Amino acid sequence: LVAVVWIYLPESPEWLKRQYENAVSMRSSGSVIASQVRIQRASPCTGWWGTKWAIVIYGIANFSGMVAQSAFASMYAVFASETFGLDSLHVGFILTLGAVASVAANIWLSPFLQKTFGDVACGVGGSLLVLLGAILIVMPDKQVSLLGVLVLFQGCAINNSAVSCGAADLTDGQNRSTVMTGVRMFKALGAVLGPSLAGEVAAHDVKLPFAVVGVFSVFGAIVQLATRPMALEVKKLVEARKAVAKSNKEVWKEYGQWQAEYGTPDEIRDLGEFMADLLTKRNYRWVTYNYELKELLKEFFPTLSVESPDQMAESYRWIKARADSMYVRASEHGAQNYQKNDAPPTSV
């Protein structure tokens, strides 16, 4: 499954590489497909950087939650039978009641909590409820143990809802399928590991599977807390890039004001590598005179007006006219024939 996601789903490195190679091969023939590929590569998506972090953050959180949930589900009947002497009918009623409570939490409780406290807080809170439920379940009093089952089901519902919504918030229209598929793969892995691990420890003590539930619920809460800054960074980038590929007038019409563009780390690195390669090939000593180059770029790219789309367009035209003028002068005189007043510093 990992190989399938890596090679065939959009936004994976291998998929982008194949699309780029196809575009290059078709560009010379003027194919429409090549043009479409170029447009897609310039679309407002977060790229592989955002996709990767969304899968890592919420894939691990989903994995932890599913290990805890499946460990409970696979071993509760054995525990209830040996500890309280409950038969399959009673265990079935208990699990059905828990499932109904979980559905009710998903419908009425989770949306309110997520709107009030946010996805991360709800995910952590849900994980802690799972821990509390696991502790109550192993208590010798049957009524307390049943209460623990309901608390655990509530925690699983709140955590699952928060994790799923959190993962969706870190996606855009192009990488949503990749992220959700990757997250589900982690969840499926947890569904396999949970019963296996719970069954192994249950051979020593039927209460130990609930220790597994508690450990992985705490681990899931720690993961969500530790990755919160990165999740917020990805979410901020997703929101900021909604204006990418729109014209100035479309941006003003939709948002009512100018929206700054933020690049992904991959795009920033690509631009830096392009600039360094360009300066090297054109004989600029950009490493030695790095500070001077930055100052030159500050002068060449002044702050554009953002009062209206028309004024911004006028600023663009002024920049382009100045660049065209410089190109014409360079073409007419050549670098070696610049007048004294136009010549670059001799030390450069």
Side-chain angles (χ1 to χ4, degrees):
L1 287 176
V2 173
V4 172
V5 172
W6 186 268
I7 295 175
Y8 291 105
L9 285 182
E11 284 74 56
S12 66
E14 185 63 25
W15 186 89
L16 290 175
K17 179 181 177 183
R18 290 167 57 205
Q19 293 297 101
Y20 176 74
E21 291 173 350
N22 291 338
V24 171
S25 64
M26 295 177 180
R27 194 169 297 161
S28 58
S29 62
S31 171
V32 176
I33 297 178
S35 175
Q36 291 174 345
V37 172
R38 289 198 299 274
I39 293 174
Q40 188 173 16
R41 284 170 57 83
S43 62
C45 64
T46 58
W48 183 241
W49 178 83
T51 303
K52 172 186 66 180
W53 276 111
I55 293 175
V56 168
I57 293 171
Y58 286 103
I60 297 176
N62 246 314
F63 167 79
S64 304
M66 183 49 64
V67 170
Q69 185 176 340
S70 59
F72 158 78
S74 62
M75 287 294 120
Y76 178 73
V78 176
F79 166 80
S81 176
E82 293 194 11
T83 304
F84 301 115
L86 299 179
D87 57 22
S88 58
L89 179 63
H90 287 86
V91 171
F93 273 120
I94 292 171
L95 295 180
T96 300
L97 177 62
V100 171
S102 178
V103 171
N106 278 324
I107 296 175
W108 292 292
L109 186 58
S110 291
F112 169 75
L113 292 177
Q114 288 173 236
K115 183 178 180 180
T116 305
F117 301 106
D119 293 332
V120 174
C122 288
V124 173
S127 298
L128 295 180
L129 282 178
V130 173
L131 172 63
L132 176 61
I135 294 174
L136 294 177
I137 286 174
V138 298
M139 293 294 158
D141 186 273
K142 184 188 296 184
Q143 305 302 322
V144 174
S145 182
L146 292 177
L147 176 62
V149 172
L150 293 180
V151 171
L152 188 144
F153 268 101
Q154 294 287 303
C156 288
I158 295 171
N159 178 66
N160 290 341
S161 178
V163 169
S164 298
C165 293
D169 285 344
L170 302 191
T171 66
D172 51 59
Q174 292 195 25
N175 71 350
R176 185 164 293 118
S177 61
T178 305
V179 170
M180 302 312 290
T181 301
V183 168
R184 288 192 186 101
M185 288 173 60
F186 276 91
K187 190 172 185 177
L189 180 61
V192 173
L193 180 62
S196 302
L197 190 57
E200 185 68 26
V201 299
H204 304 283
D205 189 334
V206 292
K207 293 182 179 180
L208 287 179
F210 301 99
V212 173
V213 173
V215 167
F216 276 90
S217 63
V218 171
F219 178 68
I222 292 174
V223 167
Q224 293 182 68
L225 282 175
T227 58
R228 185 173 183 270
M230 181 57 68
L232 291 176
E233 184 177 346
V234 176
K235 186 175 181 179
K236 179 181 177 182
L237 185 62
V238 170
E239 292 296 324
R241 291 180 65 83
K242 290 181 179 180
V244 173
K246 290 181 168 62
S247 67
N248 290 337
K249 291 186 177 181
E250 289 173 336
V251 169
W252 256 276
K253 182 178 180 181
E254 182 171 346
Y255 299 97
Q257 60 183 359
W258 167 246
Q259 296 292 310
E261 289 191 356
Y262 297 92
T264 67
D266 293 333
E267 291 171 333
I268 295 171
R269 182 172 58 253
D270 177 69
L271 180 60
E273 291 175 353
F274 170 81
M275 191 70 177
D277 184 63
L278 179 69
L279 293 173
T280 298
K281 289 180 177 179
R282 297 192 176 183
N283 308 321
Y284 287 89
R285 299 181 63 190
W286 62 273
V287 177
T288 303
Y289 298 100
N290 189 271
Y291 173 79
E292 289 81 356
L293 174 63
K294 292 176 180 177
E295 293 299 312
L296 180 63
L297 290 174
K298 288 180 182 179
E299 294 179 5
F300 190 84
F301 293 103
T303 302
L304 300 179
S305 172
V306 294
E307 294 182 6
S308 69
D310 293 332
Q311 289 192 16
M312 175 163 277
E314 183 63 29
S315 300
Y316 277 133
R317 286 192 289 269
W318 179 81
I319 291 284
K320 187 176 185 303
R322 189 173 67 167
D324 291 341
S325 175
M326 292 175 61
Y327 177 77
V328 170
R329 293 169 62 190
S331 300
E332 290 177 351
H333 301 288
Q336 71 278 14
N337 294 324
Y338 268 109
Q339 298 296 325
K340 183 177 181 180
N341 292 337
D342 299 327
T346 56
S347 59
V348 178

